[in-house]
Amino acid sequence: MRQTIKIKTFIAVVMLIAFASCSKDYTDTTSITTVDLSKQVFVKVFSATTGATRNYVYLPTPTSFIPLSGGTALAYGGTMPATSTYFAINEGQNSILIKDTLSTTTQAQIFTVATLTRGKYYSLFTYDTTVSIKTKLVEDNIVVPTDTTARLRFANFVRSGSAIPNFDIYSKNLNANIYTNVALNDVTAFIPYASNVSDSLYIRSTGTSTNVIGMSITPAPKRSYTILFRGRYDATGTSPTVPRTLTTFTSY
């Protein structure tokens, strides 16, 4: 009987030692990575490049290309990151590469080189066509309202084979223009806007009352939105290949 107890005791001790040697120490903090956001800037990419399908965003370094977009491709009309978040990258001079990785692509790769300031937010817009892709980098003046208002801005990256007029953006609720004379490839500043109320916005050639295109929007409190005008301005017919379109993105 004593021998049986000793054997059972011995087996229990061996199992305890084996378990202790195999179990993971969850208090070990050596594998935890800490990111210092105080030295970083924040970037979001918008695609208004007609025909773009497989764009990837890279941050070149002296030894490699860091894929900011991971395994996700950015197509025409999309934004990356796809939500209201931004990529966090180091402050200072950066060279952001956007390219199509398909071996048969006709899209030219493009670098955007800029010195970015710590703690600030930026939007990088791609536009034109895949064979003549261009970019525009703007600083996002992100301010969270202290009241219940939202914030709104307009980005004009429509394209055409002929001349494109400047535009006014008309609010049905206000019965007035909220922006006037916005030129091609311009991005306006954010303005305060009423939240939790549906409004209809219309794009008009400057100085006219004819609606080119319209959309409805119901902004949420304290959020910031970008309305992107894209596609072919001169598109005609009932089913144009690249129709002129208004898209709303949550910038913050």
Side-chain angles (χ1 to χ4, degrees), residues 59-66:
L59 188 67
T61 71
T63 58
S64 63
F65 288 84
I66 301 173

Side-chain angles (χ1 to χ4, degrees), residues 95-106:
S95 177
I96 299 172
L97 168 64
I98 297 176
K99 69 175 182 177
D100 188 325
T101 58
L102 192 65
S103 59
T104 57
T105 186
T106 58

Side-chain angles (χ1 to χ4, degrees), residues 104-127:
T104 57
T105 186
T106 58
Q107 177 178 313
Q109 65 180 22
I110 188 166
F111 288 88
T112 299
V113 181
T115 300
L116 308 180
T117 304
R118 174 188 302 191
K120 291 191 175 183
Y121 292 77
Y122 298 88
S123 286
L124 179 60
F125 294 89
T126 73
Y127 62 99

Side-chain angles (χ1 to χ4, degrees), residues 27 34 58 70 76 89 101 105 114 119 124 132 140 153-154 160 177 182 185 197 206-207 214 216 219 230 240:
T27 63
T34 301
Y58 296 89
Y76 166 68
I89 64 178
T101 58
T105 186
L124 179 60
S132 57
D140 296 351
R153 72 174 175 182
F154 177 71
S160 174
N177 292 326
V182 181
N185 305 330
V197 178
T206 294
S216 295
R230 59 185 173 88

Side-chain angles (χ1 to χ4, degrees), residues 53-177:
T53 57
R54 291 174 46 89
N55 280 204
Y56 289 84
V57 185
Y58 296 89
L59 188 67
T61 71
T63 58
S64 63
F65 288 84
I66 301 173
L68 296 181
S69 51
T72 304
L74 175 62
Y76 166 68
T79 181
M80 188 173 290
T83 63
S84 58
T85 59
Y86 286 68
F87 295 123
I89 64 178
N90 290 334
E91 64 177 331
Q93 188 175 68
N94 282 276
S95 177
I96 299 172
L97 168 64
I98 297 176
K99 69 175 182 177
D100 188 325
T101 58
L102 192 65
S103 59
T104 57
T105 186
T106 58
Q107 177 178 313
Q109 65 180 22
I110 188 166
F111 288 88
T112 299
V113 181
T115 300
L116 308 180
T117 304
R118 174 188 302 191
K120 291 191 175 183
Y121 292 77
Y122 298 88
S123 286
L124 179 60
F125 294 89
T126 73
Y127 62 99
D128 213 320
T129 64
T130 54
V131 295
S132 57
I133 185 172
K134 300 175 180 64
T135 63
K136 181 167 185 173
L137 183 73
V138 299
E139 182 182 334
D140 296 351
N141 181 25
I142 299 297
V143 176
V144 180
T146 56
D147 54 18
T148 60
T149 60
R151 301 175 79 234
L152 206 66
R153 72 174 175 182
F154 177 71
N156 179 18
F157 289 102
V158 73
R159 61 174 300 270
S160 174
S162 56
I164 299 175
N166 290 359
F167 297 108
D168 298 338
I169 295 83
Y170 174 83
S171 162
K172 182 179 179 180
N173 286 357
L174 297 176
N175 192 28
N177 292 326

Side-chain angles (χ1 to χ4, degrees), residues 5 14 24 26 28-29 54 59 113 123 150 191 201 252:
I5 293 174
V14 171
K24 183 175 181 179
Y26 289 98
D28 181 10
T29 61
R54 291 174 46 89
L59 188 67
V113 181
S123 286
I191 59 171
L201 301 179
Y252 191 84

